[in-house]
Amino acid sequence: MSATRLPGTPRLLRALNDRAALELLLERGPLTRARLGELTGLSKVTASQLVERLEERGLVARVGEQAGGRGPNAQLYAVRPGSAHVVGVDVGPDRVVAACADITGAVIGRVEQSTRDTDDPVGVVHNAVVQAASSAQAQLSSVRRIVLGTPGLVDPGTGDITFAFNLPRWHSGLLAALRDDLHTPVVFENDVNLAAVAEAQSGAAQGLSDFVLVWVGAGVGLAIMLGGRLHHGSSGAAGEIGYLPVPGAPIPRDVSRRAKPAFQQLIGADSVRAVAREHGYPDADAAEAVRAAVAAGADGGPMLDELARRLALGVASTCVVLDPPLVVLAGEVGQAGGAALADRVQQEVAAITLVQPRVVPTGLTEEPILQGALRTALDAVRDEVFGSTVG
């Protein structure tokens, strides 16, 4: 048995060394061959062979020189940005936003389009992806993966959309149609899940492998991160927190998913506006009203207290099951409430349950769903591209 494995050992070691070098170049580049050898623990000869191999594969390039002591200047190397591209797409009921990033993670193209005048989801995504790549001056053939964030359920088995409340024309079979149209791997992911990916990467949940993110905006959603991985559930419905049967709202008993569920009735944007009107903010939308209440200090306290009591019902129900160390409040309302709302929710959850998670506002201010889509695409493509260096 061991004899059959030995021939593969040098090949595996080369692959591991190549991957480690590429990750270092992404995080700390540009680097010289000597510095790369020091960081990887490889000899100068092995590090030089590694760099030559990656150059031949078109994954790294010389980007400059570093002056040293005696002798010629040392060449500096970096990951070649154009070796692969990804596109992330944030799909909403009224607009679609697409961004193109190179393999280093730099966002180099972005487009935003209205979806109000079309009922063709394939055409909408096609145009957005093509224009995002074009604005980045990237060939569509270099786009290795497209990740779309969408509200609703994504079947973990098929990867297809099974239900999207605000996107009635997005349906099962759309994934195959998009892959056929774009000739590129296309992946659907729930939008709130992608926001959690971004939060873990560069937001309030950095360094944590377990946390939940509660999204409060036009809709209500939950993302569950366990062991550094998203938990989707058997049908993709994990996190559909809007359907929690909570006190204070009627519980629809028909099987139609078009009925507004209980927790959504209690804390969705329409309900936030109703609470705002009761507290003297008649004309503002949900996020504006919450920001106004926060800015009002003590005068805005009663409104924030009411929202926290409502929101805590869903947060507490989640936390007594999962017991996460951290809850992130995101979405338009969660972001607008900031620490003032998060602190109140934390206190209320601790008052009504045995668990005491830390509750914090989102650490992201711009397009978390799009950021999460790009990160998800980049992680997959780097695995593919960097893992293909074995030769």
Side-chain angles (χ1 to χ4, degrees):
M1 179 67 72
S2 60
T4 61
R5 292 179 178 175
L6 283 174
T9 301
R11 189 168 183 265
L12 176 59
L13 289 175
R14 284 198 301 272
L16 294 174
N17 290 337
D18 289 356
R19 179 63 185 261
L22 287 164
E23 294 288 355
L24 283 168
L25 287 169
L26 281 174
E27 295 171 8
R28 304 174 67 169
L31 299 170
T32 64
R33 294 188 185 203
R35 183 58 177 152
L36 199 54
E38 292 173 4
L39 293 171
T40 57
L42 299 174
S43 69
K44 290 183 179 180
V45 172
T46 303
S48 292
Q49 292 172 343
L50 179 153
V51 171
E52 289 172 3
R53 189 163 58 244
L54 296 180
E55 270 193 295
E56 291 173 359
R57 301 299 294 265
L59 296 178
V60 303
R62 303 178 192 187
V63 296
E65 295 181 343
Q66 185 179 75
R70 299 175 181 176
N73 292 342
Q75 296 287 332
L76 286 166
Y77 295 87
V79 172
R80 192 169 69 83
S83 57
H85 295 90
V86 299
V87 172
V89 186
D90 177 6
V91 180
D94 300 319
R95 64 165 195 157
V96 58
V97 182
C100 180
D102 62 38
I103 200 165
T104 70
V107 177
I108 52 177
R110 184 185 180 281
V111 295
E112 181 174 339
Q113 298 178 347
S114 171
T115 59
R116 294 178 180 177
D117 300 326
T118 180
D119 58 1
D120 176 18
V122 173
V124 166
V125 174
H126 175 96
N127 290 337
V129 169
V130 169
Q131 290 183 28
S134 177
S135 68
Q137 297 183 331
Q139 295 292 325
L140 193 59
S141 59
S142 73
V143 175
R144 299 285 293 263
R145 183 164 294 241
I146 301 162
V147 174
L148 293 97
T150 173
L153 304 185
V154 177
D155 188 315
T158 66
D160 221 335
I161 293 175
T162 58
F163 172 71
F165 188 91
N166 292 325
L167 300 170
R169 297 187 184 279
W170 291 65
H171 51 74
S172 181
L174 184 56
L175 182 63
L178 286 170
R179 287 174 174 172
D180 289 344
D181 177 74
L182 292 165
H183 307 291
T184 304
V186 178
V187 176
F188 285 130
E189 180 56 273
N190 174 266
D191 52 2
V192 179
N193 283 345
L194 291 178
V197 170
E199 207 73 53
Q201 177 67 26
S202 55
Q206 288 183 78
L208 288 178
S209 57
D210 294 347
F211 70 95
V212 298
L213 180 143
V214 178
W215 184 277
V216 187
V220 182
L222 174 78
I224 304 166
M225 192 75 76
L226 298 175
R229 299 173 65 88
L230 288 168
H231 179 70
H232 295 88
S234 61
S235 66
E240 291 297 324
I241 195 175
Y243 286 85
L244 276 174
V246 293
I251 301 173
R253 300 190 63 84
D254 59 62
V255 297
S256 169
R257 289 172 171 172
R258 295 293 169 188
K260 187 177 289 188
F263 191 54
Q264 170 75 27
Q265 295 177 50
L266 202 63
I267 197 60
D270 290 343
S271 297
V272 173
R273 283 195 295 269
V275 172
R277 286 193 294 271
E278 293 173 1
H279 288 83
Y281 303 95
D283 300 322
D285 68 20
E288 289 173 349
V290 173
R291 278 192 291 271
V294 172
D299 291 340
M303 175 180 159
L304 295 176
D305 289 341
E306 174 61 22
L307 293 179
R309 281 192 291 270
R310 295 179 177 217
L311 188 51
L313 293 175
V315 173
S317 298
T318 299
C319 290
V320 294
V321 175
L322 298 174
D323 194 14
L326 180 73
V327 177
V328 179
L329 300 185
E332 297 90 338
V333 171
Q335 181 181 345
L341 180 60
D343 290 348
R344 285 173 166 83
V345 173
Q346 178 173 310
Q347 293 167 12
E348 184 68 14
V349 170
I352 62 177
T353 70
L354 294 174
V355 295
Q356 299 184 37
R358 188 163 59 97
V359 181
V360 300
T362 175
L364 304 173
T365 57
E366 294 184 4
E367 301 183 319
I369 297 168
L370 192 62
Q371 289 185 46
L374 289 169
R375 172 52 52 183
T376 301
L378 279 168
D379 286 346
V381 168
R382 286 173 180 172
D383 282 343
E384 294 170 3
V385 174
F386 294 174
S388 70
T389 61
V390 182

